Amino acid sequence: MNDGLAFLLELLALAALAYWGFTTGDGIALKLVLGIGAPVLAAVVWGLFAAPRATFGLPRVAVVVVKVLWFGAAVTALCVTGHPVLGAALAVLAVANLGYATAKKMATA
């Protein structure tokens, strides 16, 4: 169940970054670059450092830091585009999910 919620939160974070990009840039070209580039860059960072089968195995603390920064960017994107309630909801759910997953991993280690 927690893995499903984690995946949904990851998708929502990518959507938040895309929304930020498409609403931030001046002109269609910049909107496209930011709207597509921000979530692609975030997905690459996630795949390299934070995914369950990440390319680079980091210590658990470093993975948590990457995830906090990653979700923090998505929350910031929602807040600066005028959606602070959605940003707060994403933040609360992401922290709860990450806290639960981290505690579960530590208990089984």
Side-chain angles (χ1 to χ4, degrees):
M1 168 101 172
N2 196 55
D3 291 339
L5 177 59
F7 183 66
L8 177 63
L9 292 172
E10 293 159 18
L11 292 177
L12 291 172
L14 291 173
L17 292 170
Y19 180 77
W20 168 83
F22 285 122
T23 59
T24 297
D26 289 332
I28 190 72
L30 186 56
K31 287 181 184 294
L32 286 172
V33 169
L34 292 175
I36 295 169
V40 167
L41 178 62
V44 168
V45 168
W46 189 267
L48 290 174
F49 304 110
R53 288 184 240 145
T55 304
F56 300 102
L58 298 176
R60 196 173 289 147
V61 171
V63 172
V64 170
V65 168
V66 169
K67 289 180 178 184
V68 167
L69 292 172
W70 198 81
F71 279 108
V75 168
T76 301
L78 287 170
C79 290
V80 300
T81 55
H83 301 284
V85 173
L86 290 176
L90 179 60
V92 168
L93 289 171
V95 166
N97 182 267
L98 181 57
Y100 177 80
T102 302
K104 185 177 171 185
K105 283 183 183 178
M106 291 178 76
T108 60

